[in-house]
Amino acid sequence: HDVSQPCGACALCSKVCGTDFDHIIGENRKCSVCSFECGVTAEHDWSGRDGVCKVCGYECPEHSFDENYVCTICTYSYKALIISEDGTSSTVYEFIDEALTAAQSLENCTVKLLDNISATTYCTIDSGKFTIDLNGKTWESSQWVLSVSGTADIKITDSTGEGGLMKTTVTTCDLISLYDTAKLEIAGGNFETSSVAVNMSYGGNATSAELLISGGKITANTCVYAQGSKVTITGGEFETIDRYIIYYITGTLDLSQYADADKISFCVYPSADVSALNLIIPEGYVLIDNDTKEEVTQLEADREY
């Protein structure tokens, strides 16, 4: 191209550098084809929200954060905020895994998301008791999002009451792995996967994990793979893609406090020890076989209810 003119338009074909074809930016942030200088001729492109200009690679020299922990220069944002139990102290973190690691030694704190998170690996929590507040943000991963294990006691909620989302971007990945003696409560937020939302199995073996669902909305192929010690549902919404809300294999399934218990479909796994299963349904409800639509008095393996 012949862009000898300052406007950056090729004298031969009238195409414009930076519009019809990309600028070729050197170390001095100037285009070697035309007279364009990133940050001078035009403002830096901070749309990546990572503090680096998408056009020339220039890094924000010094972040200046507002009250929402967003840089007023380049829109870079911290990812998470830890708030102490009494609310008197807080610490910001650049990465969600750093915040989760710190929270495991801070009893009853809250890890609050400050920005959307796009991860390529999962985060592990194996100890501590604390809350994760999605805060209306989206937390997605190209693997499963969370592994909750050990003695961890975790609650996930969304203080905004809407918009908070945890999801996987790979169809074969579960969303949350829950095992050992860990406890998890889902109290708010949206949870989406084409696989299993909460998998309580560890390598195909039963665990002593406990799950409480008191709120939120789960959209998954199977919402809960119940191979832990107890699953209690007192609230929340469930939407399955083409299977069951619960795959019931071991432990107690307590639906006694759920107002819409008739909307909970589940399947007893073929290899389940039916005699060891403990199903608790609300007073006045009956158990219905999904195939015959008739009332049954006891569970059977490889059967839908």
Side-chain angles (χ1 to χ4, degrees), residues 248-268:
Y248 191 17
I249 307 173
T250 63
T252 295
L253 175 57
D254 187 351
L255 307 176
S256 62
Q257 301 175 64
Y258 189 56
D260 297 317
D262 57 310
K263 297 179 181 178
I264 300 295
S265 63
F266 63 92
C267 178
V268 176

Side-chain angles (χ1 to χ4, degrees), residues 169-247:
T169 57
V170 178
T171 58
T172 56
C173 278
D174 299 338
L175 191 62
I176 300 173
S177 177
L178 176 64
Y179 57 97
D180 291 336
T181 59
K183 297 179 180 180
L184 173 66
E185 178 182 356
I186 293 178
N190 298 284
F191 303 83
E192 297 180 1
T193 176
S194 297
S195 187
V196 179
V198 181
N199 192 333
M200 302 176 73
S201 167
Y202 184 77
N205 298 312
T207 71
S208 298
E210 294 185 13
L211 173 65
L212 167 61
I213 302 176
S214 59
K217 181 178 181 180
I218 298 177
T219 303
N221 196 10
T222 300
C223 296
V224 180
Y225 195 83
Q227 199 171 7
S229 64
K230 188 173 185 179
V231 175
T232 303
I233 299 178
T234 62
E237 300 177 59
F238 305 90
E239 182 177 331
T240 57
I241 298 172
D242 60 11
R243 298 190 77 177
Y244 323 103
I245 291 177
I246 300 172
Y247 233 133

Side-chain angles (χ1 to χ4, degrees), residues 68-69 78-115 117 125 127-133 135 139 154:
N68 296 314
Y69 304 100
Y78 281 105
K79 296 302 182 185
L81 170 73
I82 289 184
I83 306 170
S84 63
E85 181 181 8
D86 60 9
T88 60
S89 63
S90 60
T91 307
V92 288
Y93 292 85
E94 289 190 76
F95 304 102
I96 185 61
D97 55 340
E98 292 179 344
L100 295 175
T101 297
Q104 293 180 63
S105 60
L106 301 172
E107 194 78 2
N108 295 318
C109 68
T110 297
V111 177
K112 184 177 183 178
L113 270 60
L114 296 174
D115 197 5
I117 296 171
I125 305 172
S127 63
K129 181 179 181 180
F130 59 91
T131 297
I132 298 173
D133 179 4
N135 190 33
W139 183 358
I154 306 302

Side-chain angles (χ1 to χ4, degrees), residues 47 65 67 72 83 111 117 158 189 267:
S47 59
F65 293 101
E67 66 277 8
T72 58
I83 306 170
V111 177
I117 296 171
D158 180 15
C267 178

Side-chain angles (χ1 to χ4, degrees), residues 33 77 95 101 123 156 205 209 294:
V33 177
S77 174
F95 304 102
T101 297
C123 291
I156 303 176
N205 298 312
E294 296 179 352

Side-chain angles (χ1 to χ4, degrees), residues 248 253 255 261-262 264-268 274 277-301 303-305:
Y248 191 17
L253 175 57
L255 307 176
D262 57 310
I264 300 295
S265 63
F266 63 92
C267 178
V268 176
V274 178
L277 300 182
N278 181 26
L279 174 65
I280 306 174
I281 59 177
E283 184 177 353
Y285 280 74
V286 295
L287 188 63
I288 299 296
D289 185 294
N290 192 49
D291 291 330
T292 65
K293 307 303 180 184
E294 296 179 352
E295 180 183 347
V296 294
T297 56
Q298 65 181 43
L299 296 172
E300 294 183 33
R303 192 67 62 90
E304 299 174 31
Y305 298 97

